[in-house]
Amino acid sequence: MQFNNFLPVIDSDLRLVDTGPFLHQLIKGKKVYAKQIAKNIGIPYDTFKGYLMNRRYIPIRVYINVIKQISRNSNEYNLFLTNLYQVANKITSISSKAAVFNLPKRLDECLAYLIGAIHDGTVFKNPSKNQYVIQYWQYGNKEWLTLLSNLLEQVFGVRPKEYKQYIQLSGKPVVEIFNKVLGVPSDQSKWNSFLIGIPWKYQKIMIAGMFDAEGWCGKNYDMRLKFTQKNLNKIKELKTVFEKRGIKCGSVIKDRAAFAIFICGQNCLRFYNQIGIYCRNKKKLQQLKLLVGDPDQKAS
């Protein structure tokens, strides 16, 4: 599932890496003077020349201002932005010591799982202190945190720092992508939906990641699964998606300071066959297999 061009949406101070040749060809193709462009957009010519010679990483806002200067109409403006999006593969922030991240342009299985798993995590930003981090938590399950580290490194090209009970990936580009591209707010109580508009092949992986992060699994004498959320809209969305796929749920109930739904009996097996098979948390998957009577799991 390809993302729409999100460069005009994320913070324009973020910098695209190794795109100087594209900027050079863009200006050359329009037969305009670089010095005049630099003057028009209000940056020193030496700085602009450094962009053209690929000695400096180029802020998105510079590209947007240049494209506005040289475009004859909105169609050409959009075309140039699309071409930029196609050639841009890496991104960083303004700090000279900032990490360089891959620029994901499509929702794949790795990213879908990470979206689900962030339900037991946070997307945190404090612009005044230049703090931008995403964290995944899991008490007593270092193996699963390592798996998440591997996925984050695969998607973004940078490995998180690993701690005893959580992992942390620092970087404004990652936070911007989670916030503005993937739709994960810093305040998860305002995260009303994460499945609408997503194909089923990715929905089920996202739900598996969510279940691995914070789902509850009963014992074989208590054949129940539970999803809990503080956001009522989110729990209603889950119920709607489950029942569309023939996984019947109980009514939404109040669960302390949150809301919950239970999946009971043979619907647990339906959940396992459609969604649980995508779980990557070995402890959670083992519990789920025991619950639904997986013969291989019982034999082990």
Side-chain angles (χ1 to χ4, degrees):
M1 177 181 173
Q2 298 292 329
F3 296 133
N4 293 328
N5 184 355
F6 54 78
L7 293 182
V9 176
I10 59 177
D11 194 300
S12 63
D13 281 334
L14 294 176
R15 301 181 175 224
L16 303 177
V17 177
D18 293 333
T19 56
F22 174 81
L23 182 62
H24 180 76
Q25 288 300 318
L26 194 64
I27 293 175
K28 184 179 178 181
K30 297 298 290 187
K31 297 180 180 180
V32 293
Y33 291 108
K35 186 173 289 187
Q36 186 61 47
I37 289 289
K39 181 179 179 181
N40 290 347
I41 65 176
I43 63 173
Y45 177 59
D46 285 345
T47 300
F48 194 71
K49 190 163 60 173
Y51 296 151
L52 295 174
M53 299 180 71
N54 214 34
R55 293 199 302 253
R56 295 171 178 262
Y57 298 151
I58 306 174
I60 294 172
R61 59 177 169 76
V62 168
Y63 268 112
I64 290 175
N65 288 334
V66 169
I67 291 173
K68 284 179 179 178
Q69 284 285 320
I70 66 175
S71 298
R72 292 172 298 180
N73 50 50
S74 60
N75 288 336
E76 193 171 53
Y77 173 82
N78 291 329
L79 175 63
F80 289 152
L81 276 181
T82 298
N83 292 341
L84 172 62
Y85 182 63
Q86 290 172 345
V87 302
N89 293 310
K90 294 186 179 293
I91 191 167
T92 188
S93 61
I94 192 169
S95 171
S96 59
K97 297 181 180 180
V100 173
F101 298 93
N102 293 338
L103 196 64
K105 298 179 183 178
R106 60 185 298 271
L107 180 66
D108 59 12
E109 293 185 3
C110 294
L111 198 50
Y113 186 85
L114 289 168
I115 295 170
I118 200 68
H119 282 90
D120 196 7
T122 188
V123 180
F124 174 81
K125 58 184 176 183
N126 185 340
S128 64
K129 295 184 178 180
N130 197 31
Q131 294 178 334
Y132 298 89
V133 301
I134 62 169
Q135 296 176 333
Y136 289 83
W137 311 321
Q138 188 81 179
Y139 299 106
N141 196 342
K142 190 75 167 65
E143 184 179 13
W144 187 61
L145 290 176
T146 297
L147 180 143
L148 292 174
S149 291
N150 294 338
L151 293 178
L152 284 166
E153 185 175 21
Q154 184 174 335
V155 172
F156 293 105
V158 177
R159 191 164 187 84
K161 291 184 178 179
E162 298 184 30
Y163 301 92
K164 185 177 180 180
Q165 297 178 334
Y166 69 97
I167 60 172
Q168 176 172 298
L169 184 58
S170 301
K172 187 175 183 179
V174 177
V175 170
E176 284 286 294
I177 289 169
F178 266 79
N179 278 167
K180 298 177 181 178
V181 181
L182 306 180
V184 183
S186 295
D187 182 357
Q188 287 203 26
S189 68
K190 298 179 180 178
W191 193 8
N192 294 321
S193 170
F194 76 120
L195 298 172
I196 291 177
I198 304 297
W200 172 239
K201 65 179 290 188
Y202 297 120
Q203 281 186 348
K204 53 191 177 184
I205 296 172
M206 293 163 73
I207 297 169
M210 181 182 184
F211 183 74
D212 278 348
E214 59 176 19
W216 177 85
C217 187
K219 306 295 183 183
N220 55 3
Y221 54 81
D222 182 13
M223 201 167 179
R224 294 188 300 165
L225 305 173
K226 182 172 75 166
F227 283 82
T228 306
Q229 284 287 298
K230 290 184 177 179
N231 190 309
L232 178 59
N233 292 320
K234 179 78 69 66
I235 211 72
K236 286 181 176 179
E237 179 184 52
L238 280 170
K239 178 177 170 63
T240 298
V241 170
F242 287 148
E243 296 189 340
K244 182 179 179 181
R245 298 293 167 176
I247 304 169
K248 294 183 179 179
C249 309
S251 301
V252 176
I253 63 171
K254 199 79 169 65
D255 187 20
R256 299 180 182 177
F259 302 92
I261 50 173
F262 281 95
I263 299 170
C264 305
Q266 288 303 304
N267 287 291
C268 294
L269 181 58
R270 295 187 184 100
F271 175 88
Y272 171 72
N273 287 335
Q274 296 189 58
I275 297 170
I277 56 174
Y278 296 100
C279 290
R280 301 191 184 199
N281 183 331
K282 288 185 178 180
K283 290 185 178 181
K284 195 64 65 70
L285 183 58
Q286 182 181 34
Q287 293 173 349
L288 186 55
K289 286 182 174 181
L290 285 171
L291 181 71
V292 301
D294 181 276
D296 293 332
Q297 192 65 28
K298 286 184 175 181
S300 65

